[in-house]
Structures are given as C-alpha cells and as structure tokens.
C-alpha cells in the first residue's frame, strides 16, 4: 500500500516477516502516527491480534501464519502455540484456516507462511479486478469498517475494487462509515483513501441511512470475517443495518472476500461466535469517559447479515449470488 510521508511515498505491507521477527504496522496509532510493532515469538503474535495491533480477517490470518512459523522454527510446542494463537479472537475464520494450514505444512514453516501471505495478496488483487466491473464511472460507494490493505496485507477486499476503479481513472467517491467504537473507518479506511488520493467523505455511522434514502449511494461494498454454509456473513457491528437499509432502497449490497473466508462446516449465521470486547471501548473516547461511570455497556464487535440481504459475493474466482454460492465456494 502507498503511504505518503513528509517528502516521499513509501510502499508498505500491513505485516511481513524477516528472519525470525514479524513486523507489523501498529494500527492502533493510525492515522496520527506510523509506528511498528515487532513480534519476537508466537506469544507476541497472540497479543498483537488480541489487542488489535493488526486486525481485519485476512491480515489476522497472515499474522497467525507467521506466528506459527516462529513457533515451529523456535522448536516450541506447536499444538500449544496453535491453541494460544487460535484463542486471540473468535470471529474471523481466516485465523483458524491459517493455523490449520501451518499445521499441515510443519516441515517448511517460513516458506509455507510466505506462500500463505502471497496467496492472500494475490487473491485480493483479483478481488479488485473482479469487483471493479461493478463500479461505474461517477459511482458513489458506501463502505463500513476497514476492509483495505491494512486488513488484508495489501490491496484490501472491499477497498480493492475501489482502488482498481480509481487506478482505471473512474471518477468515484467513497462514503466511509466512521465505525464506532474502534473507528476503523474514520482512522484506517480514510487514511488509506487519503494515501491513494481517492475522493472520500467520512460520515458518522448513523448518517449512512440518510445518504442511501436520498439516492446518493450507488453500491455498498463491505468485507467479512466469515461466510457460512447458508450464505450468511459476519462483519463489523453495524453491517447488518447497512444491508437492510440498502435493500429497502434498492441499492446493491456486495460482500468482498477470498474464498478462504468460507466456513463450509458452519451452517448458519447465528452459529458464528461473536466477539464481545472491552466495555471501555464504548465508555471512553480518547481517554475521556463519555458515559456515566456506573452505566453498564455492551460491546459486540460483529453482527450477522443474512444472505437474503446480499446481492453478491466478490471473490478472486468471480462474482456470484447467494444462490450460486455452494458451487463457487
Ligand atoms: O475488528 P476488526 O477491525 O478486525 O474487524 C474487521 C472487519 O470487520 C472487516 O470488515 C473484516 O475483517 C474484513 S477485512 C478484509
């Protein structure tokens, strides 16, 4: 991904491994500071995923693959390392997929992890190529959370077709939901679009219905943490509402993801484990309390969008509708 520095432009990935260390852009500090986190071993990887130094399903998967590579190279108990890494976050299927992939490739850890990372990036590049066919010149696109390069090592899933369309010279504008409580839209998606010079406006989460109802949005594209057998998906809290409002207003709602996000053994969306995060993410903004001290809060990090609200899935294999999903996945 392109990152504008004071007097130059840098190309960086969200996470990469050199020798035995795993380097990542520390997403907790963006957009104000570009800082890096270095994981020395799989325990650091577990804490980086859990504390959202890195986040976004495909990036979580690649980081986990590198952590498993570290554990294998350092002769740690790999079953134990796998168990600890898997426990970092519950919703993104890529995490479990990546750990299983590494356990199947235990004799060549570094190569296998690098292959896994490159395949994620290549899949996202193709998602961009395929999804760009849905975006016409002059389109206004709504997206939720961050499903960009930061979330996928490079390119993005939901942001990949947007990047590809901008590169093709299409005149597009992106409405970026701020995405409370962690503000992945306001902090990370807006930062990526700024770095790529793609026209965008950050809106508060509650404003997307207003813009959809006015006819200002041509298409909604989001990423996902898990697609299950009946076609339901889990994505950042608030996605469900966007999908329902999109359907009400006849706006196509697309979910972009590599086919490895498909959990074929899980039957329906309500079976997906939904992460509950710390109360303080809701209670505090920039270190200041915004609720009465004693008010209890709830903080689910994801919700489920039923397949009936999804127009199609944009994957590296092509674009297909919920009714075509079994065959395609
Ligand atoms: O809690 P996060 O920031 O990891 O949630 C990220 C999302 O919900 C993304 O939309 C999803 O992981 C897809 S990333 C390509």
């Amino acid at each position: 991904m392109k990152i504008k520095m004071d007097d130059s432009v840098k190309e960086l990935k969200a996470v990469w491994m050199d020798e035995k260390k795993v380097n990542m852009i520390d997403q907790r500090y963006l957009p104000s500071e570009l800082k890096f986190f270095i994981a020395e071993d799989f325990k650091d990887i577990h804490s980086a995923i859990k504390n959202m130094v890195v986040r976004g399903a495909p990036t979580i998967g690649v980081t986990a693959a590198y952590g498993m590579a570290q554990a294998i190279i350092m002769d740690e108990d790999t079953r134990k390392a796998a168990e600890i890494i898997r426990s970092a976050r519950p919703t993104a299927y890529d995490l479990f997929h990546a750990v299983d992939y590494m356990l199947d490739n235990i004799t060549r850890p570094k190569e296998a992890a690098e292959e896994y990372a490159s395949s994620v990036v290549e899949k996202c590049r193709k998602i961009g190529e395929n999804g760009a066919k849905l975006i016409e010149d002059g389109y206004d696109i709504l997206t939720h959370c961050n499903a960009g390069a930061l979330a996928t090592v490079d390119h993005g899933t939901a942001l990949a077709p947007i990047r590809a369309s901008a590169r093709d010279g299409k005149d597009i504008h992106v409405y970026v939901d701020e995405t409370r409580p962690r503000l992945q839209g306001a902090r990370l998606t807006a930062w990526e679009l700024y770095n790529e010079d793609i026209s965008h406006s950050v809106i508060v989460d509650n404003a997307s219905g207003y813009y959809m109802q006015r006819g200002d949005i041509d298409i909604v594209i989001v990423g996902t943490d898990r697609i299950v057998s009946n076609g339901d998906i889990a994505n950042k809290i608030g996605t469900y509402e966007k999908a329902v409002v999109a359907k009400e207003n006849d706006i196509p709602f697309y979910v972009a993801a590599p086919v490895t996000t498909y959990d074929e053994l899980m039957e329906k969306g309500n079976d997906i484990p939904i992460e509950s995060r710390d109360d303080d993410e809701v209670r505090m903004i920039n270190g200041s309390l915004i609720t009465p001290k004693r008010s209890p809060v709830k903080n689910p990090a994801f919700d489920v969008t039923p397949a009936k609200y999804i127009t199609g899935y944009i994957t590296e294999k092509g674009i297909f509708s919920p009714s075509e999903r079994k065959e395609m996945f």
Side-chain angles (χ1 to χ4, degrees):
M1 86 193 84
K2 227 163 81 177
I3 301 177
K4 287 182 190 166
M5 310 298 282
D6 283 345
D7 46 12
S8 61
V9 175
K10 253 195 171 151
E11 267 294 329
L12 277 180
K13 292 192 168 141
V15 55
W16 70 98
M17 187 169 181
D18 28 62
E19 300 295 320
K20 288 184 198 160
K21 293 186 178 162
V22 181
N23 308 276
M24 33 199 123
I25 296 180
D26 194 330
Q27 300 186 27
R28 296 170 301 179
Y29 295 98
L30 291 173
S32 25
E33 284 178 274
L34 181 61
K35 284 194 182 185
F36 299 92
F37 180 93
I38 298 172
E40 307 277 350
D41 60 16
F42 79 88
K43 289 180 191 135
D44 288 346
I45 293 284
H46 166 263
S47 102
I49 296 172
K50 188 177 166 65
N51 298 319
M52 295 176 73
V53 170
V54 286
R55 28 66 50 206
T59 292
I60 290 173
V62 170
T63 308
Y66 284 143
M68 284 300 296
Q70 285 181 312
I72 299 164
I73 294 165
M74 291 178 197
D75 226 6
E76 308 269 7
D77 177 341
T78 41
R79 297 277 149 192
K80 187 100 211 284
E83 195 185 311
I84 290 175
I85 293 175
R86 275 198 192 103
S87 71
R89 292 188 77 186
T91 306
Y93 185 63
D94 304 57
L95 172 60
F96 310 103
H97 177 78
V99 170
D100 289 344
Y101 170 87
M102 290 303 293
L103 289 173
D104 287 343
N105 286 281
I106 217 147
T107 53
R108 38 178 220 102
K110 182 78 180 2
E111 294 78 0
E114 290 303 353
E115 278 167 25
Y116 186 88
S118 314
S119 83
V120 165
V121 172
E122 179 53 18
K123 283 173 186 149
C124 289
R125 197 191 58 73
K126 286 197 182 134
I127 288 171
E129 241 174 58
N130 293 334
K133 294 175 195 144
L134 297 168
I135 299 176
E136 291 176 22
D137 193 34
Y139 259 25
D140 288 281
I141 305 142
L142 174 73
T143 192
H144 190 63
C145 194
N146 171 263
L150 289 165
T152 65
V153 184
D154 211 349
H155 300 294
T157 53
L159 284 200
I162 292 171
R163 278 197 154 84
S165 298
R167 231 168 276 147
D168 291 348
K170 290 178 201 164
D171 177 20
I172 55 172
H173 185 79
V174 186
Y175 285 77
V176 180
D177 288 337
E178 62 176 352
T179 319
R180 272 278 288 155
R182 299 282 300 209
L183 302 173
Q184 290 94 328
R187 295 190 303 107
L188 308 177
T189 300
W191 183 73
E192 288 194 35
L193 295 172
Y194 155 79
N195 278 301
E196 295 275 346
D197 291 316
I198 298 173
S199 163
H200 63 282
S201 312
V202 178
I203 57 173
V204 297
D205 292 318
N206 302 334
S208 53
Y210 166 79
Y211 286 109
M212 286 196 259
Q213 191 183 44
R214 282 164 47 111
D216 290 345
I217 308 291
D218 296 294
I219 187 170
V220 183
I221 310 180
V222 297
T224 176
D225 281 73
R226 204 185 289 226
I227 306 171
V228 293
S229 179
N230 74 350
D232 297 352
I233 64 127
N235 193 48
K236 182 52 54 197
I237 192 78
T239 302
Y240 168 56
E241 287 176 17
K242 313 300 163 203
V244 173
V245 178
K247 191 168 178 107
E248 169 68 19
N249 290 281
D250 289 324
I251 299 166
F253 181 92
Y254 282 91
V255 176
V259 297
T260 43
T261 303
Y262 182 55
D263 179 359
E264 65 175 342
L265 298 179
M266 192 165 275
E267 206 185 306
K268 53 186 192 311
N270 283 346
D271 299 335
I272 302 173
I274 299 292
E275 178 181 17
S276 246
R277 293 193 63 86
D278 200 282
D279 290 356
D280 279 354
E281 289 185 353
V282 176
R283 277 208 183 100
M284 321 275 288
I285 292 187
N286 276 344
S288 301
L289 193 65
I290 56 153
T291 62
K293 254 195 220 129
R294 291 199 172 76
S295 289
V297 301
K298 291 186 191 293
N299 187 17
F302 299 94
D303 61 21
V304 171
T305 300
K308 67 175 178 182
Y309 295 108
I310 298 170
T311 312
Y313 308 90
I314 308 169
T315 76
E316 71 275 21
K317 293 190 177 173
I319 301 167
F320 47 95
S321 68
S323 60
E324 296 163 323
R325 75 182 180 278
K326 284 252 152 99
E327 201 183 313
M328 291 304 292
F329 281 128

